[in-house]
Amino acid sequence: MPEVIKVGIIGLGTVGTGVVKLLEEQKKDLVWKAGCRLEIAKILVKNLNKKRNVDIDNKLLTDNWEEFINDPEIQIVIEVMGGIEPARTYILAALEAGKHVVTANKDLMAEYGKELFDAANKHNLDLAFEASVAGGIPIIRPLKQCLAGNTITEILGIINGTTNYILTKMTNEHVSFDTALKEAQKLGYAEADPRADIEGFDAARKLAILASIAFYNRVTLKDVYVEGISKLSLKDITYAKELGFVVKLIGVAKNTLEGIEARVHPMLIPISHPLASVNDSFNAVFVKGNAIGEAMFYGRGAGELPTASAVMGDVIDVARNIIHNCTGRIACTCFFHNSHKPIDKVIAKYYIRMHVADKPGVLASIAGVFGNHDVSLATVIQKHRSGNMAEIVVITDDVEEKHIQDALQVIKGLSIVSEISSLIRVYSEE
Ligand code: NAP
Ligand code: HSE
């Protein structure tokens, strides 16, 4: 049994700093938790002169990749640098060199998961990525292991901390979008390029990873329909609140007879639903399984120590596997390649806000077009009148997306309609 296992860390930003802090804080306990001491051999960074937020022996830092990868002492590489390249090349090289890998990189796992797993399998190595989805919340391991006795049919959740922080601040404190985003960046929640968060791609990558694991199918970013929160207006958030909803960025994945449905977009959630009270950087993931029924995983979805907590769980697991000589045990589980259900076929309820002429017969004309497209209306409210214009909000019953899009195409062309201002999907049990 090894007395010490050496780790090499790539990246010393928000997550890397948390990992270094936990390795130090847990130093004594790791001996009995992991079965050996875990020591840092090297930390690869970009800028050696940067001031660090953690006490670190400067001799451990290097900006030389060759020096890092050729260190024979390193048995586990912890990649917390982010992005596709050079992270992909570095992880492949680490695996090729016989080193186990722990990563928090959802960009890579969502797009190059197969390639990385193939490399890990070839050498019987561990590739662990718990921190890549929902920060500190355990969800990858529960899906792969604890819930393996179920057929999972659905995943629904809030899986991006930055957008949830922004929406919470806008809804509860009327803070502007830009100010809330700056706060989220300062708190270390946002990606290096925050457009990945606000345009929904970070959540879409995480959903692709969750759907792949839950449905034993290969799901990648391109299979996910994505809409972010950048076009949401404060007006819709306010109107939603008046109607008994909160607006959240939601990821939905379903394994249906018509294929795998995977989508990320803003959604009106009834205030009575548990997801409505998931605020700030917290995430929550609902999982539906045939045996367990519904399970909800809740916790901090981003930030230094919550994310480092997930990374450390993986590192300890890999150390245990090394000690017990059972590495590479849980490999890739994407056994199937089912088709993907296009967004046109998705069934949902819709909130639509539009500006129309304020005169008799307008509502009847619009209702007529919806009716002709099999769209049934649950709620119609006139919100605001000014001059000869009125603002109306419509909430539909469950309907196929194609019917809504076709109806709106016709409605847009009516002379009595000046603008369709927003369309947001509404939570539906369907
Ligand atoms: P970050 O704060 O931007 O830190 C990135 C680190 O990587 C920095 O230390 C940087 O070095 C280093 N780096 C960048 N390019 C490099 C290169 N070419 N060679 C060597 N080092 C390089 O990022 P982060 O927020 O910690 O995120 C890291 C990863 O964790 C990402 O994949 C992210 O998606 C994921 N993640 C983050 C969170 C979160 O809450 N932040 C949560 C879950 C998952 P310098 O310091 O020298 O510039
Ligand atoms: N930028 C990500 C988020 C970090 O806000 O959720 C956690 O993956």
Side-chain angles (χ1 to χ4, degrees):
M1 252 166 64
E3 270 183 24
V4 55
I5 288 179
K6 297 255 185 184
V7 303
I9 306 176
I10 308 180
L12 189 54
T14 303
V15 184
T17 299
V19 171
V20 171
K21 283 183 184 169
L22 289 189
L23 277 167
E24 179 57 30
E25 198 182 295
Q26 293 279 316
K27 201 173 182 168
K28 286 203 187 95
D29 292 356
L30 283 171
V31 175
W32 52 265
K33 281 185 184 170
C36 65
R37 296 199 318 273
L38 286 167
E39 288 178 3
I40 302 172
K42 279 191 176 55
I43 305 175
L44 182 72
V45 293
K46 198 171 182 178
N47 179 358
L48 278 178
N49 300 320
K50 207 181 214 176
K51 190 175 161 338
R52 301 292 161 185
N53 294 326
V54 61
D55 256 351
I56 192 84
D57 177 355
N58 274 338
K59 287 202 284 291
L60 294 176
L61 297 180
T62 176
D63 58 358
N64 183 331
W65 163 245
E66 297 300 326
E67 184 192 327
F68 181 93
I69 193 64
N70 290 321
D71 183 336
E73 283 196 322
I74 296 174
Q75 280 185 271
I76 306 173
V77 168
I78 304 171
E79 186 272 310
V80 282
M81 170 178 91
I84 300 288
E85 283 297 351
R88 172 173 159 264
T89 303
Y90 287 180
I91 290 182
L92 286 172
L95 293 168
E96 214 40 61
K99 300 175 194 301
H100 304 277
V101 172
V102 171
T103 178
N105 195 326
K106 72 278 318 218
D107 303 39
L108 261 185
M109 291 311 297
E111 286 185 56
Y112 295 94
K114 181 178 182 328
E115 183 186 27
L116 301 180
F117 260 116
D118 284 350
N121 292 350
K122 190 170 127 194
H123 301 287
N124 220 23
L125 293 164
D126 279 338
L127 171 62
F129 51 103
E130 185 61 68
S132 67
V133 178
I137 306 176
I139 185 69
I140 307 277
R141 196 166 284 105
L143 281 175
K144 276 208 173 199
Q145 299 184 38
C146 320
L147 295 173
N150 284 256
T151 298
I152 307 285
T153 50
E154 187 177 329
I155 288 185
L156 173 88
I158 295 173
I159 46 180
N160 181 268
T162 302
T163 46
N164 205 40
Y165 182 86
I166 295 172
L167 290 175
T168 304
K169 290 283 164 188
M170 287 174 78
T171 308
N172 297 348
E173 297 168 33
H174 306 290
V175 171
S176 76
F177 185 100
D178 291 341
T179 307
L181 171 61
K182 280 198 187 97
E183 285 176 17
Q185 287 177 293
K186 210 165 153 199
L187 289 163
Y189 303 152
E191 295 302 300
D193 178 353
R195 282 176 301 182
D197 297 294
I198 61 182
E199 298 304 346
F201 293 107
D202 177 80
R205 289 181 176 114
K206 292 168 179 167
L207 190 72
I209 296 171
L210 290 180
S212 298
I213 297 169
F215 308 145
Y216 295 89
N217 256 275
R218 178 78 51 208
V219 181
T220 62
L221 179 64
K222 68 173 176 12
D223 306 315
V224 183
Y225 172 82
V226 194
E227 260 178 49
I229 65 164
S230 62
K231 293 194 181 73
L232 273 183
S233 84
L234 197 51
K235 200 178 228 182
D236 289 316
I237 292 175
T238 308
Y239 286 177
K241 209 170 173 181
E242 287 168 17
L243 291 163
F245 297 95
V246 286
V247 184
K248 297 285 185 190
L249 184 73
I250 300 288
V252 186
K254 295 182 187 178
N255 200 0
T256 77
L257 291 174
E258 299 141 297
I260 291 175
E261 174 181 327
R263 50 193 166 101
V264 165
H265 50 68
M267 193 186 277
L268 264 63
I269 303 284
I271 43 168
S272 55
H273 192 281
L275 284 178
S277 41
V278 174
N279 285 325
D280 298 317
S281 71
F282 282 86
N283 283 191
V285 183
F286 275 92
V287 177
K288 261 192 206 165
N290 67 323
I292 193 169
E294 222 171 56
M296 176 172 165
F297 298 80
Y298 170 80
R300 289 259 178 217
E304 182 186 288
L305 288 177
T307 312
S309 155
V311 172
M312 280 300 293
D314 278 348
V315 171
I316 292 169
D317 221 32
V318 175
R320 287 173 178 152
N321 287 347
I322 294 173
I323 287 167
H324 295 286
N325 204 18
C326 59
T327 57
R329 198 170 51 90
I330 300 171
C332 183
T333 48
C334 293
F335 304 122
F336 306 108
H337 289 90
N338 288 3
S339 62
H340 295 275
K341 184 172 170 179
I343 189 74
D344 274 12
K345 296 273 174 218
V346 163
I347 293 182
K349 293 181 166 70
Y350 297 82
Y351 158 107
I352 302 154
R353 179 165 62 87
M354 53 185 126
H355 286 87
V356 299
D358 190 6
K359 62 181 189 188
V362 166
L363 281 184
S365 304
I366 292 169
V369 177
F370 277 127
N372 290 341
H373 289 84
D374 280 340
V375 180
S376 153
L377 304 182
T379 312
V380 181
I381 306 166
Q382 183 164 304
K383 293 300 300 179
H384 184 69
R385 300 169 90 168
S386 136
N388 55 359
M389 296 305 291
E391 185 180 43
I392 61 168
V393 166
V394 164
I395 297 183
T396 73
D397 286 323
D398 278 321
V399 59
E400 206 176 271
E401 171 110 6
K402 180 159 178 21
H403 292 295
I404 279 288
Q405 296 297 355
D406 289 349
L408 290 180
Q409 235 6 73
V410 177
I411 289 171
K412 251 188 226 162
L414 297 177
S415 59
I416 50 168
V417 174
S418 81
E419 181 186 79
I420 312 266
S421 313
S422 41
L423 175 134
I424 309 173
R425 292 164 190 84
V426 180
Y427 176 79
S428 158
E429 295 281 356
E430 168 54 39

